[in-house]
Each structure stands twice: as structure tokens, then as C-alpha cells.
Amino acid sequence: MIYFIIIITRENDNNNKEYCNCEVAEQLQISEDINNMTDKKNGREYLGYVLEKLKERITEISLSLVEGQKEIEGMHEYYWENYTEMDQYGYENYDNQQALFRQISANEEQLILKQRFRRMADSPFFGRVDFIYEGEDEPEIFYIGIGNFAEKAGHIPLVYDWRAPVSGLFYDYDKGPASYEAPMGEIHGEVASKWQYKIRNGKMIYEFESDVKIDDEILKAELGSNGEVQLKNIIRTIQKEQNAIIRNTKDRIMVIQGAAGSGKTSVALHRIAYLLYHDRQNLKSSNILILSPNGVFSDYISHILPELGEENIKEMSFDLFAYKQLRDTVSDCEDRYDEIERRIRFPQKASLAEEKQSMEFINLMERYLVELEDRLMNFKDVEYKGFVKTESEIIELFYFKFQDFPLLSRMDAVADYFIDEVETLRNRDLADDEKDLIREKFMKLYVTRDLYVIYSQFLKENGYTGLPRVSYEKRKLKYEDVYPVLYLKYRLQSQQGRSNIKHLVVDEMQDYSRLQYEILQRIFSCRMTILGDRAQTMDDKQQDVLKFLPKIFGRDIHKIIMNKSYRNTIEIASYANQLAGIEDMELFERHGAPVEEKIFANMSHAAEEIAETLKLGEEEYETAAVVLRTEKEAEHMWLLLKEILGEKGFDIKERLSYLDRNSTSFKKGLTVTTFYLAKGLEFDQVFAVFPEKDQTPLAEQARYIAATRALHELHMYELEN
């Protein structure tokens, strides 16, 4: 008989699986019959056994779903046959409805479980760790996969979730002394061996014992494979330093400064999956929000969490969030890309975006807000059907009793106070239309409540050009003014709390201004994962947000530097680092073709060269991209390639795509886009096409971003005209 310590993992009725946080170690006796069910040390034999059990579970669930559907149909039939005879108080009807809802919910959960097991059947596990518990002689064998799987609900797992405590041994230790943190405390022992497997379509591709960390050859194979239309999960190749970030549950705010290709976005998403696993009782997918750069990037990462056994989560850009918040003030807002395009077209014209989102500008607005306390008000008596609130009484309430209310919401509180008085004296509740009439009287004590007007006046008083005096339908905020107006809104008006968001993920942190972080701090009081790369800024100069984030969010920020690049070959990474003046990046040892540099007379000649050099045939690359400066240039290149490649028989309908800011999906084949929309994406082969004469700081940043998108092959083209 073998005795060992283990954390129970079981499925339940609520969400298909429950991870039991046992306070004490539970000793479980495993019968010799179970031990002899198969040779656990033989990976191929064990694979066959697990696949057999998966098949059995899928069959059981399928039968359960059929029976469940019959139950639902029976309940519907019973209801329609008997609803006229049900008791007058509705108790039977209520019970019937509740039973129906429970069965529908149970069926939905079974369906999700079936889908998960089907996914696992393709590759049930990828790793194994043989661990000898302290005081024992024989190792216990743990197979590790994308999710947990047991022969029966409540049974000991045949395969452990990569996020389980014991799975940390696979990522963190070589052979020798080891430990892992379990709910009941730290478990000590020794790693006897580690194995790695590659399984596809239920077939063993390879297996071998690995004496050291996640084997470099495996990592090279993964990194050297063709690019996907979606970000890859990295559970097979998580490095020790990455695992420490993923399994961090202590820090309220984690800030990851990661080099291009360091895997920071993957690590952040795997961390979210781990947190959902770790705190399933309190954290749901609906409690998480990702602020992503654009719709295409959202699509690029959308599959990761479902692939890791979790539901998808909400994603949006901060620009879209701002627009939704300001729809009551303006009809439209520019986004960051409008501002970038304008800077490229008119490089000599100074952008006010940086200035209007600086600390100095925030201070100007704060001083103005103090002055508004008096300037925005025109106090006088308010009367309603013989009841009067005098000017002095209103002033007393406004400046003292309700002084903690935001300025433009304060008079609402005064009006409600008056309504309560009237209702008390009249000994009856006022009708809604009466209340609205009273509130309207109090609102007229403001000179204006229009944020557009207030902000415009602020600009003019501080030496800036005011906003155009136009009707709501014609109001469109320039990008430089969007976030100052949003800041004023959060300072001047009461806002509904967003307590439902318990974890915020901010990607591309270097592209957020001081003002934007001040707004985020006001909106969200939750835990955060903030990540980015200061070298990939879309501004003229790099911004180190780590310098001011502690002043905004407090000093409990955990800063992490990820300085090792995995995405690019050494040739590409070295070239890109030279462009950006980066000297301290650690490169993963993977070589490829040298970077090609060429100059062309015009875009037509460059397009012809791209068509000749493109490697998207069979047994070649899956993805390629042409990256340009502006939307106009990108669209021009797309039209040229459409014609040239079409003549060559290339499937332009299915394999040529143009990505603009309204795009929401990323496809295999050749993609034509701008540098700012390519951020975060990666391609097997990249062609960067830029005007030779444009050597502005922004254009240099654009070249660096374009170069770091390439996995295997990079072509840097310059245009004379």
C-alpha cells in the first residue's frame, strides 16, 4: 500500500470543477487495483489509459445530457398540461420553475464539461513530475495538463491542472530537493525525475526525460514554429521566472516592464487564469476587465482563457471606454490613432496631447476646480407650493452639509434634502413629477452644468484655444482634450462604483499618460496587472511610468522586469535593439536569416519585391505582414499587393487582409497594416516599409515596433519617394 499527501481536485454542480482548499493534509489510501490499472511510468501506456477514461466520461456526459433534455421536456409538458389546476398561491408553479432552472443549469454545466474533456482528448498532458515526499521511499507520479481530469468526480486526478500547487514542481525545480506551497502549508521532498511530452490528436509525438529546466530544445521548437492567428498559450514552456509572476497572489498591483518578445502579455493572461483557479470562490471571469490596445489585439488574445479552462473576459480599449463615458457631453471623440496620424502628417506642428495630460495641466485643472465652487453658482431662494428654502439655507447646505459631494452633484443632494422636508411637513410622498420639478428649480442655480462649456472656459482662461461653440451633434473632441474632459467629469459628478471589477489588466502601459492613470485610479479600486515595454512607445520619446505610478496607486506596487526576449531570432532582436539603442536585453539562443535592408524608388517597386519575396506557400510560413506608417500608406500598399498578387494566382480573398482601426479579427496569410495596429501581434515574416526621409523620433519608434513583430524573417525597406 502507498500513502501520500494530496490536494483533492473534484468536479461539482456549480461550475464543473471545484478546487478544495483543505486546511489539513488528507491521507488517501490507493488500492493496488488502481495502482495496477496501468504502468504510470510508461507515458505511452498511460496516455492510452487516460484517453480511454476520457472517452468513457464523454460518453457518460452525453447520455446525461440526453436524459437531462428529456427531463426538461417533461417539465415543460407537465406545466402546460396542469398550470390551470396549480394551487392559487403559486407555490407549485414556483417549485416547478425552480426545478426547471436547476435542470437547465445542470445541462449547461455538463455541456461545458464535455467540451473541456473533448479538448483534453487532443493532448491530455504535456509534462510529468515524479516526486518523493519527505519520509517516503517511492516517488508519486503526477501528470500535468491543460486541466484537471479524474476518472470520476471526487476521485484522485489522473491528470493535474497546470495551475495546481503540485504542478509548480514541474516549472520551478530540476532533479533534487524541492517543495511546493499547498493550502495546508509547504510540502517538502525531492524531484526524482521530470518528463516532457508532445501529444497531438491523441498520438504521442515524442517523450523524453528532462534533467534540467523546461528543456531549451522544446522551447526552441515552440518558438521556431510558424506564427498563429492567435496568441499561443505557453503552459508547456513556462520558465521559472515567468511561473513566479503567474502564481503571485499576494501583490495588489503588479507592474511588469517587459522587453519586446519577453512574453509579458502571455504571462499576464496566464496569471489571470491562475488567479481564477486560485480564488474561484470570490473571483469570476465577469470580475475582470482588460484594457487592450484595439479590437484586433482583443481578438488575438481572446482564445487564451477559454483554452486554459476559463470563460472569456471583458476587453475594451481605454479610448472606447472614454467615448462611452462622454456621450452625454459630446457626440464624438478622436482616439489615439487620430492623434498619431496627425503627428506624422504635420511633424512640425507641436502636439498638445502630452502637455494636456501632464501633471502641470492636472494642477491647472485642480486650481480651476477650486474657483468653480463660487463662479459656477447663482444662489437664490427656491419656493414650491408655499415651502421656501432661502438662499442662505441653500448656501449652508451646499458649502457645509454636502461639501463632500462632487460640485455638479451637490445640488442634487440639496434638492433631495428639501424634498424630504416637504414630504415630512405634508405627511405624504411627493409624486415623481413633483420631485422632478423641484430638482429642476435647484439645478437652475448652476450657471451651467455642461462639461463642454466648463472645460472650454478653463482653456481660454489658461491661454489655450477654447472649444468650438457648436451644437451637441457637431461636438467632437480632439484626442488631446478627451481625457482632460473625462477627468473633469470624474471630479465634478458622482459616478457609479465599479465594484464588480475586481481585477484590471492594463496592456501597453507606456502609452498611458499621467492623467489617464489618475483617471484609472479614480474609476477602479481593485487589484491590477499593468504591463508594457517603454521602448515600444508611440510618443516621440520614451516614458517610464514606473517613476510616477507609486505616487498614484501607493507604494504597494510590485515591479518586475522581464528582460529576456523569446520572440525574435538573435539576428532580428539584435537589429531591433540597435534601432532603439537597447544594450541590456538578454536574448534567447535562436538563430535565423540575417535582416534584409533595401531602398526602393517608390511603393510600387517595394510591393513587387514583397510579392516576390513572400513565403506563404505550402510548408512555408503561415503569417506575414507589411507594416507601414499611416493608414493612407497602408491602404495604398494593400491595393498594390491586391493587384500584383492577384495576377500571380494568390488567393487574395482569403489570404490578404487589410487591418485598420475598425478591424476586429486577425487572419492567417498576408496582413497589411500600420505600426500602431501591429503592436502586440507577431508574424513569421515582416516587411517594414517607411519613407527614407522620415527620420523623426516617432518614425524611429515605428521602425522598432515593426522590426520586433518578426518571428523568423525581417525585411526593412526604405522609400526614396
Side-chain angles (χ1 to χ4, degrees):
M1 300 291 182
I2 298 175
Y3 297 85
F4 63 98
I5 299 172
I6 193 168
I7 310 304
I8 299 175
T9 308
R10 67 175 185 255
E11 296 147 12
N12 73 2
D13 294 333
N14 294 324
N15 55 6
N16 306 314
K17 51 186 184 290
E18 172 184 325
Y19 307 95
C20 181
N21 294 325
C22 304
E23 296 297 328
V24 295
E26 186 173 346
Q27 289 191 328
L28 300 173
Q29 183 178 2
I30 312 302
S31 71
E32 291 187 10
D33 288 341
I34 296 177
N35 270 330
N36 294 331
M37 64 190 175
T38 186
D39 183 4
K40 288 188 76 172
K41 292 184 178 180
N42 187 321
R44 292 179 183 271
E45 186 176 331
Y46 195 72
L47 172 62
Y49 180 83
V50 172
L51 287 173
E52 180 185 336
K53 295 303 175 183
L54 275 167
K55 185 178 178 180
E56 289 176 6
R57 289 296 306 276
I58 291 169
T59 302
E60 289 173 6
I61 293 171
S62 296
L63 293 172
S64 174
L65 285 169
V66 172
E67 291 300 315
Q69 189 59 38
K70 288 180 180 178
E71 284 285 329
I72 292 169
E73 291 171 359
M75 290 178 188
H76 278 298
E77 187 177 341
Y78 175 83
Y79 177 80
W80 289 114
E81 288 178 355
N82 299 278
Y83 78 95
T84 58
E85 300 176 7
M86 291 181 181
D87 62 275
Q88 61 176 322
Y89 299 106
Y91 295 132
E92 187 178 356
N93 181 35
Y94 176 80
D95 290 342
N96 188 72
Q97 290 294 322
Q98 290 301 303
L100 177 62
F101 291 147
R102 283 195 296 271
Q103 187 60 58
I104 292 173
S105 178
N107 263 31
E108 289 174 348
E109 291 166 1
Q110 287 289 294
L111 184 60
I112 294 171
L113 193 62
K114 181 180 177 180
Q115 291 169 342
R116 178 162 70 86
F117 288 161
R118 277 182 167 173
R119 284 197 300 269
M120 288 189 71
D122 177 69
S123 180
F125 52 84
F126 58 83
R128 178 184 127 195
V129 61
D130 298 1
F131 186 66
I132 304 173
Y133 286 94
E134 199 171 61
E136 300 291 332
D137 298 322
E138 293 295 320
E140 184 60 38
I141 298 174
F142 299 96
Y143 282 86
I144 300 162
I146 200 80
N148 180 78
F149 173 68
E151 187 175 349
K152 298 285 185 182
H155 284 205
I156 295 168
L158 301 177
V159 179
Y160 286 81
D161 193 295
W162 65 277
R163 298 166 292 183
V166 74
S167 300
L169 296 170
F170 179 75
Y171 299 113
D172 291 341
Y173 292 97
D174 307 333
K175 281 186 179 180
S179 64
Y180 66 93
E181 196 66 38
M184 76 288 294
E186 193 169 9
I187 306 298
H188 295 269
E190 181 180 343
V191 173
S193 69
K194 286 179 17 180
W195 287 75
Q196 292 188 267
Y197 307 91
K198 185 169 185 177
I199 302 167
R200 291 291 180 269
N201 299 318
K203 304 291 184 183
M204 184 75 75
I205 308 300
Y206 61 68
E207 60 177 325
F208 66 88
E209 187 175 6
S210 174
D211 292 335
V212 293
K213 61 183 177 64
I214 307 302
D215 193 86
D216 279 355
E217 293 305 315
I218 298 293
L219 187 53
K220 282 182 182 179
E222 289 291 311
L223 297 172
S225 61
N226 287 336
E228 301 284 343
V229 294
Q230 293 179 314
L231 189 69
K232 298 176 184 176
N233 80 66
I234 59 170
I235 59 169
R236 296 176 68 238
T237 59
I238 293 172
Q239 305 295 288
K240 184 176 181 179
E241 63 273 15
Q242 295 174 330
N243 195 45
I245 300 171
I246 291 169
R247 293 175 182 260
N248 182 308
T249 62
K250 298 177 182 179
D251 294 304
R252 181 176 167 271
I253 298 178
M254 179 177 287
V255 182
I256 305 171
Q257 166 64 40
S262 60
K264 55 186 176 292
T265 301
S266 292
V267 167
L269 293 173
H270 284 65
R271 181 176 188 238
I272 293 301
Y274 180 80
L275 293 174
L276 286 167
Y277 173 97
H278 180 81
D279 193 18
R280 194 166 295 276
Q281 299 267 341
N282 303 306
L283 188 66
K284 311 295 181 188
S285 299
S286 58
N287 300 138
I288 299 171
L289 173 65
I290 295 179
L291 292 181
S292 58
N294 51 63
V296 173
F297 186 73
S298 296
D299 177 65
Y300 186 59
I301 66 173
S302 62
H303 75 296
I304 285 287
L305 285 172
E307 196 173 276
L308 298 175
E310 303 295 342
E311 295 179 27
N312 221 334
I313 58 181
K314 293 176 285 195
E315 302 168 61
M316 70 168 63
S317 71
F318 200 14
D319 287 348
L320 178 60
F321 178 87
Y323 166 70
K324 288 182 175 182
Q325 294 296 300
L326 294 176
R327 280 185 296 188
D328 58 349
T329 303
V330 295
S331 63
D332 200 3
C333 299
E334 285 188 348
D335 59 23
R336 180 68 185 276
Y337 306 133
D338 290 307
E339 195 263 339
I340 291 172
E341 292 273 344
R342 187 162 50 244
R343 280 162 52 204
I344 293 173
R345 289 197 308 273
F346 310 106
Q348 71 283 356
K349 189 176 180 179
S351 171
L352 290 174
E354 183 179 353
E355 183 177 338
K356 287 186 176 181
Q357 297 191 53
S358 65
M359 192 64 216
E360 290 74 20
F361 198 80
I362 296 172
N363 290 336
L364 283 177
M365 285 193 290
E366 286 295 328
R367 285 197 289 272
Y368 184 70
L369 287 169
V370 173
E371 297 172 5
L372 278 180
E373 288 270 343
D374 298 321
R375 294 170 54 180
L376 203 59
M377 307 310 302
N378 183 18
F379 295 109
K380 59 184 179 181
D381 295 353
V382 173
E383 185 271 336
Y384 180 74
K385 293 186 177 181
F387 296 93
V388 179
K389 184 62 68 177
T390 65
E391 178 181 339
S392 60
E393 288 176 318
I394 294 172
I395 290 173
E396 176 74 18
L397 290 170
F398 190 86
Y399 287 114
F400 297 97
K401 187 175 182 61
F402 299 115
Q403 62 179 322
D404 293 333
F405 283 63
L407 186 59
L408 292 183
S409 299
R410 201 177 299 174
M411 198 57 77
D412 281 310
V414 177
D416 288 341
Y417 187 88
F418 180 67
I419 290 169
D420 286 342
E421 285 186 333
V422 173
E423 288 180 334
T424 301
L425 292 169
R426 298 184 69 173
N427 197 30
R428 72 170 179 87
D429 291 341
L430 297 178
D432 288 343
D433 58 343
E434 292 181 288
K435 293 179 182 178
D436 290 341
L437 182 60
I438 292 173
R439 289 195 181 96
E440 188 178 343
K441 287 176 178 285
F442 278 95
M443 292 307 108
K444 288 181 178 179
L445 302 183
Y446 288 109
V447 175
T448 181
R449 300 179 72 218
D450 190 334
L451 286 172
Y452 187 90
V453 174
I454 293 170
Y455 178 67
S456 184
Q457 187 62 38
F458 158 74
L459 289 175
K460 289 187 284 188
E461 291 187 15
N462 286 277
Y464 297 93
T465 303
L467 302 179
R469 298 182 64 180
V470 293
S471 62
Y472 171 83
E473 292 75 18
K474 295 181 180 179
R475 290 181 178 179
K476 182 176 182 179
L477 286 178
K478 288 185 177 181
Y479 179 76
E480 65 196 43
D481 295 311
V482 171
Y483 290 97
V485 174
L486 186 60
Y487 181 80
L488 285 181
K489 179 171 184 170
Y490 277 94
R491 289 285 284 110
L492 290 171
Q493 297 178 1
S494 297
Q495 304 297 322
Q496 289 184 341
R498 287 177 172 80
S499 57
N500 64 307
I501 301 299
K502 297 180 180 180
H503 200 109
L504 179 71
V505 180
V506 180
D507 203 357
E508 304 293 350
M509 67 181 185
Q510 72 281 354
D511 293 330
Y512 288 73
S513 66
R514 174 73 182 256
L515 177 59
Q516 287 172 313
Y517 281 111
E518 292 281 356
I519 294 170
L520 286 176
Q521 191 274 333
R522 292 181 176 277
I523 301 172
F524 303 101
S525 58
C526 58
R527 298 164 70 92
M528 298 183 188
T529 302
I530 304 172
L531 61 142
D533 174 16
R534 66 185 180 191
Q536 294 187 64
T537 182
M538 293 190 295
D539 292 315
D540 294 339
K541 57 185 179 182
Q542 294 184 10
Q543 173 188 229
D544 188 0
V545 301
L546 292 174
K547 290 183 177 179
F548 60 73
L549 284 184
K551 297 176 183 176
I552 299 172
F553 295 107
R555 298 193 177 276
D556 59 341
I557 291 178
H558 186 194
K559 305 173 188 176
I560 293 175
I561 306 296
M562 296 178 66
N563 214 33
K564 187 171 184 177
S565 177
Y566 296 97
R567 176 189 296 140
N568 321 112
T569 62
I570 284 185
E571 289 76 12
I572 294 171
S574 299
Y575 179 89
N577 289 346
Q578 191 174 7
L579 287 177
I582 298 172
E583 298 178 350
D584 58 347
M585 185 185 297
E586 185 182 352
L587 304 180
F588 184 77
E589 194 71 22
R590 182 172 71 88
H591 287 277
V595 177
E596 180 189 53
E597 294 183 301
K598 282 190 176 181
I599 300 175
F600 297 93
N602 51 51
M603 194 172 289
S604 296
H605 290 172
E608 290 171 359
E609 179 72 11
I610 291 169
E612 289 295 326
T613 312
L614 191 63
K615 296 180 181 177
L616 289 177
E618 289 186 19
E619 299 184 2
E620 291 186 311
Y621 297 140
E622 294 282 352
T623 60
V626 186
V627 183
L628 302 102
R629 289 189 314 166
T630 66
E631 284 186 333
K632 184 178 179 181
E633 291 168 1
E635 187 175 11
H636 184 202
M637 175 62 78
W638 173 65
L639 292 171
L640 288 171
L641 288 170
K642 192 175 180 181
E643 182 179 352
I644 297 169
L645 290 172
E647 292 175 355
K648 291 178 174 289
F650 188 84
D651 188 353
I652 58 174
K653 185 178 180 180
E654 294 296 327
R655 305 194 70 197
L656 176 64
S657 47
Y658 169 55
L659 291 187
D660 62 16
R661 69 184 73 182
N662 297 315
S663 300
T664 56
S665 62
F666 178 39
K667 300 189 296 185
K668 284 187 179 181
L670 178 61
T671 298
V672 183
T673 190
T674 57
F675 75 94
Y676 51 80
L677 291 176
K679 285 185 71 175
L681 307 179
E682 56 186 33
F683 307 86
D684 296 317
Q685 189 180 27
V686 169
F687 302 88
V689 184
F690 290 86
E692 187 180 29
K693 63 182 180 182
D694 190 353
Q695 300 296 324
T696 59
L698 181 57
E700 290 302 299
Q701 289 295 131
R703 287 179 173 87
Y704 173 76
I705 291 168
T708 53
R709 301 308 94 203
L711 287 166
H712 311 305
E713 214 173 283
L714 175 62
H715 305 265
M716 299 294 292
Y717 294 167
E718 299 284 320
L719 304 179
E720 293 177 342
N721 299 304

